[in-house]
Amino acid sequence: MHSSIAKNEANPYPALGLRLDPRFVSALVEYVRARGSIPFAEFMECSLYGVHGEGGYYNSGIVSIGNTRNDDFLTAPERSRYFGRTLAKVLVDMHVAMGRPGHFDVVEMGAGNGTLARDILQTLQDEHNVLHGALRYTILERSRALILRQRNALARWPRVRWVHANADRLPLRKIRGVFLSNELPDAFPVHRAVVRHGELKEVYVTLNSHGNFSEEERSPSVALAAVLMDLNKVFPIAAQPEGEQLTVNVRAMHWMRELGMALDEGYVLTFDYGGPGVIRKAPYTVFDWEQYPLDIAYRYPGTVDMTSHVDPIILAKIGAGEGLVPIATAKAPQGVYTQPAFLKAYGLRESLRREKDSILRNSGLRLLGKDYSNFFALVQRKSRQHSRGPDKSTSRKGPPSRAAPVRLEGCTHVYRLGDIPALNGVSRRGGLPAGYYVHFMQLPNMDVSFSSFCRGKVICSGRIGMDGRICWPDTLRVRATHDTYIVVTCLPASEVDDLLVQGERLAGSASRCAHGCLFGEAEP
């Protein structure tokens, strides 16, 4: 079945002023003609990154990413430096939750102009010397033109290294730290498909009788067929209505598996736009901050950006197969947060209140507004037990011995942002003493080491039972803000309040205090 896309007719978009590269267009036409037809994903790949690496949108050198109306598109780091500053705090918490290793990897994939890396590195250098000293920052980028920009932007940090490669074919392994991306999988070439009689037909791009690009439906390509089994587990194809058009990000699925294999221990932090069910939304083109149909891409290949929405639930379920566990909270039970909510949880609003420059403050507030309401943050963690396989010490025959929890007098356990699921898991495994109290507390001056505090108030409390379960009050209602913590101690709420009123400092031994945060249990 053919459906003509580009006809031999007057240009319906003369106002765009797009200028084709004749050599690239000729090369792309010959590429398609030699093969008869190619999957849409392959056409998108060529349009963005060139034919055999030559030409294409990202290699053209004209891509403009910034904060003016002349730019092609605007990312959150370019909108406000507070995006990078806030993510620096997130990285600090991740470093702490992993026990502050002496070498901590941050791998940013698809770094654009290098703005996010610059803001993160500057914040860590100014405010978090411990992590800055342990940091090994790597940028993985497939566009040589963008690597040149990034090197210029990050010249002050000679320890930053670059890897020229595709993110879905990672040449990295044994990473201990964080894989970070902002608007990366939306730029992966996507496969387009149509449901026909309960099965998928893939959309291919070919040439019509006028020599223009057009579409046809064929059996799935090898790449799409390879992921159909996994896709059906998340999105049953047979249950979709006849003629339903789907956008399948095969590269993103491979990418998530690659991250799971490359990460030895740590986190994957993904920011992008989309949401559950966006597999039903068609890809589109973007020029001068406006969205246009795919017709533009067929008429002007290599001159405009092509993109698609990203489904974080599909990414989360694919990653879980490689040990990447979504970090769920009461507000994000599947580990998917709205980007504004995630930034608020890490104190962005409070930071902006302290900003005296109105221009910087207003640009930061835009990150919390409607412009980013359809952006998400997906947080996944891979623990050491996933990296190193099962613990042989627990594989002996016979029932495991269950020793009573040891009562650690004076020890204080502190968890950040009310991560109840992680805390319950620690307690059920006997990691917290029976009989201890679990307090939700507002602590405005928490020490950066999470080991002491002298001001604050108890919001509500629970208690750890002999079976390791935490008994919460029936009326548990807690609004988690940037200064809300969970404190586990042998002291009841009344005694904690009395000590704080008297100005005494509650502290635990640094070697015995269990640190934790939104990102789960830390190493003791």
Side-chain angles (χ1 to χ4, degrees), residues 288-401:
D288 195 23
W289 296 14
E290 298 292 336
Q291 296 182 12
Y292 294 92
L294 288 175
D295 188 12
I296 292 284
Y298 289 122
R299 291 178 178 273
Y300 300 98
T303 65
V304 294
D305 185 26
M306 301 174 70
T307 186
S308 66
H309 295 85
V310 179
D311 191 323
I313 302 302
I314 292 178
L315 294 184
K317 291 188 176 181
I318 294 296
E322 298 295 338
L324 298 174
V325 181
I327 299 176
T329 64
K331 289 189 176 182
Q334 294 179 296
V336 180
Y337 307 77
T338 66
Q339 183 172 300
F342 185 87
L343 298 176
K344 284 180 185 177
Y346 265 86
L348 174 57
R349 190 177 293 279
E350 287 70 24
S351 297
L352 293 173
R353 286 173 182 164
R354 295 191 294 269
E355 176 58 65
K356 296 179 180 179
D357 188 315
S358 61
I359 295 178
L360 294 178
R361 183 171 62 252
N362 291 335
S363 64
L365 287 172
R366 294 286 294 274
L367 299 177
L368 303 177
K370 64 180 182 179
D371 290 350
Y372 295 92
S373 59
N374 65 336
F375 281 67
F376 66 83
L378 172 62
V379 187
Q380 299 158 284
R381 179 171 186 177
K382 187 172 185 180
S383 63
R384 190 170 295 176
Q385 67 186 58
H386 283 113
S387 301
R388 300 185 179 181
D391 186 354
K392 296 181 180 179
S393 65
T394 62
S395 60
R396 299 168 185 155
K397 295 182 179 179
S401 60

Side-chain angles (χ1 to χ4, degrees), residues 61-72:
I62 63 173
V63 180
S64 183
I65 309 171
N67 197 16
T68 72
R69 284 296 302 179
N70 294 324
D71 296 316
D72 292 25

Side-chain angles (χ1 to χ4, degrees), residues 211-222:
N212 296 323
F213 297 115
S214 62
E215 295 177 355
E216 65 178 6
E217 295 176 11
R218 294 179 52 183
S219 298
S221 62
V222 173

Side-chain angles (χ1 to χ4, degrees), residues 333-496:
Q334 294 179 296
V336 180
Y337 307 77
T338 66
Q339 183 172 300
F342 185 87
L343 298 176
K344 284 180 185 177
Y346 265 86
L348 174 57
R349 190 177 293 279
E350 287 70 24
S351 297
L352 293 173
R353 286 173 182 164
R354 295 191 294 269
E355 176 58 65
K356 296 179 180 179
D357 188 315
S358 61
I359 295 178
L360 294 178
R361 183 171 62 252
N362 291 335
S363 64
L365 287 172
R366 294 286 294 274
L367 299 177
L368 303 177
K370 64 180 182 179
D371 290 350
Y372 295 92
S373 59
N374 65 336
F375 281 67
F376 66 83
L378 172 62
V379 187
Q380 299 158 284
R381 179 171 186 177
K382 187 172 185 180
S383 63
R384 190 170 295 176
Q385 67 186 58
H386 283 113
S387 301
R388 300 185 179 181
D391 186 354
K392 296 181 180 179
S393 65
T394 62
S395 60
R396 299 168 185 155
K397 295 182 179 179
S401 60
R402 183 175 178 85
V406 179
R407 186 176 177 84
L408 303 176
E409 296 293 346
C411 182
T412 300
H413 302 259
V414 182
Y415 286 77
R416 184 181 170 96
L417 288 177
D419 191 7
I420 299 176
L423 186 66
N424 280 331
V426 175
S427 185
R428 283 196 298 270
R429 295 195 298 271
L432 298 175
Y436 265 42
Y437 295 90
V438 183
H439 307 301
F440 276 91
M441 298 188 66
Q442 193 169 5
L443 303 172
N445 67 329
M446 168 57 68
D447 182 82
V448 70
S449 66
F450 299 112
S451 60
S452 66
F453 51 91
C454 61
R455 288 195 299 113
K457 63 179 180 180
V458 177
I459 302 173
C460 64
S461 303
R463 198 170 188 185
I464 302 171
M466 292 301 297
D467 60 354
R469 295 184 179 275
I470 302 175
C471 302
W472 300 101
D474 294 335
T475 57
L476 178 63
R477 294 289 186 273
V478 178
R479 181 173 176 266
T481 61
H482 74 286
D483 58 355
T484 302
Y485 297 82
I486 291 181
V487 177
V488 182
T489 178
C490 60
L491 303 176
S494 57
E495 293 186 32
V496 171

